Amino acid sequence: MGTETVRTPPADGAADLKSEQRGWYFYDWACSVYSTSVLTVFLGPYLTSVAESTADADGYVHPLGIPVRAGSFFAYSVSLSVIVAVLVMPLVGAAADRTGRKKPLLAAAAYLGASATTAMFFLDGDRYLLGGALLIVANAAQSVAMMLYNSYLPQIAPPEQRDAVSSRGWAFGYAAGSLVLVANLILYTGHDSFGVSESTAVRICLASAGLWWGAFALIPLRRLRDRRSATREAALPGFRQLAATVRDMRRHPLTLAFLLAYLVYNDGIQTVISQASVYGSEELGLGQSTLIGAILLVQVLAVAGALTMGRLARIYGAKRTILGSLIAWTLTLAAGYFLPAGAPVWFFVLAAGIGLVLGGSQALSRSLFSHLVPPGKEAEYFSAYEMSDRGMSWLGPLLFGLTYQLTGSYRAAIISLVGFFVIGFGLLARVPVRRAIEEAGNPVPDRI
């Protein structure tokens, strides 16, 4: 971060780097279960039901005396957790750069998040406030930990290996999410045969994600090594660091223009991921087993979709392929608005559409952004990329929650997200990526 320009891996032995890479993959394996099982599948519908059970006659709960529709409480909690993460990430990032000791900070963030997730086992009765608090802690901690985790990539892989190493970590995460979702589905659908209630089965699924996160985080924490920065004065305190990076980005306005487009449409993507289960359960009346199966389908098809979009990018270029995916996102959400209630088959069709564009949209965006980063500024720009990403992703859940609060309709809430993809498409279409790559000082690929 800051003015530091050299973040390439040191001349470590190939075997040592391979060992670190294998350890690095396992953090995605550890924490992706939280994103899939907790944030995407179980917590939204369950926390909403807990809030609704304690709501007044008009359907409102009153956290800190503020009237909030019970159906909006989860979305607001997600939004607040992202705001907390954005406030904390610059401070943690500056401390990591200043001391060169990222691993203790990664451990603290990972185990704070894992502990809060495990404590979700106690969300019975009317404890919706406890649920909101644990969600805010867990989600903010996960964001901070992911920032630190991603910052290891330039240290453990030379430039020619980073795409492959990063892709393997991503694949590990989706594999873990799919594996645990299968176990969740067995427990949830067969909870009577296991001698537990449906509510207890959900709370076990939530808590097990925290235990999984904490257990497998031990592997990267054992294998990754800290390396002190060669430029100690590069780190700036907290928000001064972010401000310095933004000032530098102003010298590359086309890079900044792409980043703005990405932040807009990615906010839509993240909101769809976090709110789809609430929409399915509350608006469409679908059971938890149906939702788990749909999310499992998304996990599997996201891998195939990313590989397919990668091949399309080689033919048509990354920018055109991303633009095509944004059209697909828009059509998928529009179709979601018209889904009939109580029809799981059509919800699975919608899930398939999301899965086919989910992985590729994000993978190609990250790849395209890497071409727009000035040489020697990779770590600094990607740190800002992560913080800015989290910084925008509170807006989608807030819009979703506000739309439901004002209309009482989840269909209106889901269609409100179309704007993120339409605006993102318009912003990205205006970015001349070839000129942006040239102005960043990088070679222009044949297809981009």
Side-chain angles (χ1 to χ4, degrees), residues 4-26:
E4 178 186 348
T5 58
V6 180
R7 294 291 291 269
T8 55
D12 297 324
D16 290 339
L17 285 181
K18 285 291 185 185
S19 176
E20 284 194 89
Q21 289 169 9
R22 286 191 290 268
W24 189 80
Y25 302 149
F26 269 96

Side-chain angles (χ1 to χ4, degrees), residues 8 11 20 26 51 138 171 195 197 207 248 263 279 295 325 332 338 360 420 422:
T8 55
E20 284 194 89
F26 269 96
S197 67
D248 188 77
L263 297 181
Y279 181 69
I295 299 303
S325 77
T332 301
F338 295 103
F420 289 98
V422 173

Side-chain angles (χ1 to χ4, degrees), residues 342-385:
V345 172
W346 289 109
F347 190 72
F348 276 106
V349 172
L350 184 73
I354 291 173
L356 288 173
V357 293
L358 172 61
S361 301
Q362 296 174 308
L364 289 179
S365 297
R366 177 174 165 175
S367 173
L368 182 54
F369 182 72
S370 71
H371 292 288
L372 308 180
V373 177
K377 297 277 188 178
E378 292 85 3
E380 181 180 343
Y381 272 53
F382 270 106
S383 294
Y385 179 87

Side-chain angles (χ1 to χ4, degrees), residues 8-9 153-154 157-164 378:
T8 55
L153 183 59
E160 67 275 10
Q161 293 182 11
R162 285 178 200 164
D163 287 345
E378 292 85 3

